[in-house]
Amino acid sequence: MKTLINILFSFTLLFLLSCEKKEEVTYEPNFAPPSNFPAIKYPEDNAYNYSRWKLGKKLFYENALSRNQTINCGSCHQTKFAMADNQALSLGVDGAVGFRNAPTLTNVAYQPYYNFDGGNQTLEMQVLVPIQEHVEFDFNIIEIAKRLADNSTYQNMSKEAYNRELDYYVITRALANFERTLISGNSKYDKYTREETPLTAEELRGLNLFTSTKTNCNTCHAGFNFTSYAFENNGLCKEYSDEGRARVTKLDTDKARFKVPTLRNIEKTAPYMHDGSKATLYDVVSHYNSGGNNHVNKNNLIVPLGLTQDEMNDLIAFLKTLSDESFISNPLFKNN
Ligand code: HEC
Ligand code: HEC
């Protein structure tokens, strides 16, 4: 009897607690991925919550992260360019020229590793790259924490989000928490797959070409996020100044292989490729149509395709269906 009362008591307590918790919840944006996407995996110590997200967003647009306090993450990952920029190579502090093209942060939550060479295993770890990189922030995360130590807004937000002072741990986690919500799944193509909107005849021909054995585009640009995440050489150059994947593995067989990029929002993220050397989608499709340059590590699917002008236009029309205006104009992601 005593145990039964205890159990009943615990249930009542639990019920009361859960009611109380519910009342505390303020408006939280719904960042759930669309029905045609898999669920997002958050690390155990960095589950999504709105306090963490708000802190991460504030840090994303914080100039104090850069040595001379002139640029922030959003300088190279701009909402209007689908969280990329429009430079071939981005500019860091004092106008230093970077060595790679800034990629889109569209759907980064789903990537198994980061950067063109896959050198970073988690979004939390990746944060250190732009902070330390001389041609980006040229700074140091310990110094950033010192700089913000007397800032009561940041300290309060940090306590609320992670129950500790703003330090290395909090800065990396909050930024990653924000980045994981950069989900884009409302393009015309998504609406087509959810049977909400039809594609035009031209776009459909492009989709069929994209998935055909004539082009093999979707062997590498595979699945809902249009990437296999493999490291491949697509014959972009004869000789590369960038070692690509070999920068991490030191293997000759990985030289000039780059992580296959997502094609989501591709219309918005020109110029293209790791070095920004292709200005337009037409240039990219012409590159593939030509079969590219010969390189020992070139994938054997990269061969002359024999596409007509009309077929090239169809492919481009399809690529443009991957633009998601609701992502680009989402006020939640903008610096406001
Ligand atoms: C000066 C421009 C610049 C700034 C500032 C910058 N980035 Fe980047 N970002 C890049 C470039 C260039 C790459 C590609 C680097 C590589 O592959 O080695 C990149 C890659 C990334 C990636 C990996 C994406 C992928 O597909 O693998 C993430 C995530 C990222 N940046 C987040 C951030 C965050 C967070 C900040 C702020 C702390 C930031 N970036 C600041 C230019 C910048
Ligand atoms: C063998 C694998 C492979 C195949 C097949 C392939 N790609 Fe790629 N694609 C890549 C790789 C790797 C990159 C990045 C190369 C780099 O940055 O140097 C890339 C880059 C791109 C880019 C630029 C992305 C960006 O953000 O800069 C576009 C657009 C693109 N591919 C479209 C296509 C189309 C269209 C086809 C079919 C005609 C195709 N790809 C076939 C591997 C492939």
Side-chain angles (χ1 to χ4, degrees), residues 41-292:
K41 292 189 200 99
Y42 279 81
E44 255 173 49
D45 66 351
N46 200 15
Y48 167 82
N49 77 43
Y50 193 37
S51 306
R52 293 171 175 184
W53 182 90
K54 278 189 291 188
L55 177 58
K57 179 178 172 183
K58 194 169 165 60
L59 287 166
F60 193 84
Y61 291 109
E62 179 55 74
N63 281 351
L65 264 56
S66 61
R67 175 175 47 72
N68 61 5
Q69 313 206 43
T70 53
I71 57 168
N72 56 62
C73 306
S75 307
C76 303
H77 301 288
Q78 301 178 28
T79 47
K80 65 173 180 239
F81 302 123
M83 308 308 279
D85 66 11
N86 60 352
Q87 308 290 312
L89 302 171
S90 317
L91 302 182
V93 290
D94 299 327
V97 181
F99 82 113
R100 285 178 180 160
N101 179 259
T104 177
L105 300 186
T106 299
N107 299 335
V108 273
Y110 292 104
Q111 294 202 32
Y113 29 68
Y114 298 94
N115 290 351
F116 279 106
D117 49 32
N120 291 83
Q121 301 301 313
T122 64
L123 275 175
E124 281 79 359
M125 289 295 295
Q126 198 284 332
V127 166
L128 296 175
V129 177
I131 289 177
Q132 282 164 213
E133 185 65 64
H134 298 307
V135 292
E136 295 184 31
F137 291 163
D138 191 27
F139 208 37
N140 167 321
I141 197 159
I142 308 293
E143 293 298 323
I144 293 171
K146 276 194 206 154
R147 203 178 252 181
L148 299 174
D150 298 329
N151 184 317
S152 58
T153 310
Y154 270 117
Q155 293 304 339
N156 291 339
M157 288 177 87
S158 180
K159 284 265 158 59
E160 193 185 320
Y162 293 96
N163 199 23
R164 57 195 280 167
E165 280 176 19
L166 189 83
D167 60 1
Y168 168 98
Y169 181 96
V170 173
I171 296 168
T172 52
R173 277 164 186 76
L175 276 165
N177 210 276
F178 170 67
E179 291 179 86
R180 284 197 182 89
T181 66
L182 298 171
I183 300 298
S184 168
N186 212 19
S187 64
K188 189 173 185 188
Y189 169 77
D190 291 302
K191 290 178 189 159
Y192 164 78
T193 59
R194 296 195 294 259
E195 297 181 0
E196 296 162 14
T197 313
L199 295 185
T200 65
E202 191 187 23
E203 291 161 350
L204 268 179
R205 286 195 302 268
L207 169 60
N208 288 335
L209 267 176
F210 188 86
T211 53
S212 69
T213 48
K214 184 165 183 186
T215 68
N216 288 301
C217 303
N218 79 331
T219 307
C220 296
H221 299 284
F224 80 100
N225 208 24
F226 293 87
T227 165
S228 61
Y229 306 106
F231 298 95
E232 302 290 358
N233 179 285
N234 69 350
L236 182 66
C237 313
K238 241 189 183 123
E239 282 172 33
Y240 291 75
S241 54
D242 191 326
E243 297 227 280
R245 179 65 175 157
R247 215 174 160 229
V248 175
T249 63
K250 309 287 174 215
L251 296 172
D252 282 349
T253 47
D254 281 338
K255 276 200 174 136
R257 284 179 185 246
F258 298 88
K259 186 183 67 192
V260 177
T262 179
L263 298 184
R264 286 190 170 271
N265 293 311
I266 195 71
E267 181 189 5
K268 310 286 174 183
T269 62
Y272 303 107
M273 306 297 173
H274 73 279
D275 55 358
S277 60
K278 298 286 174 217
T280 64
L281 284 177
Y282 186 83
D283 294 345
V284 171
V285 173
S286 303
H287 157 76
Y288 283 113
N289 202 26
S290 76

Side-chain angles (χ1 to χ4, degrees), residues 304-325:
L305 303 177
L307 301 175
T308 64
Q309 283 299 320
D310 283 347
E311 286 176 317
M312 285 169 66
N313 289 336
D314 292 345
L315 254 186
I316 293 167
F318 163 67
L319 291 173
K320 289 184 177 173
T321 69
L322 301 176
S323 299
D324 177 353
E325 295 299 334

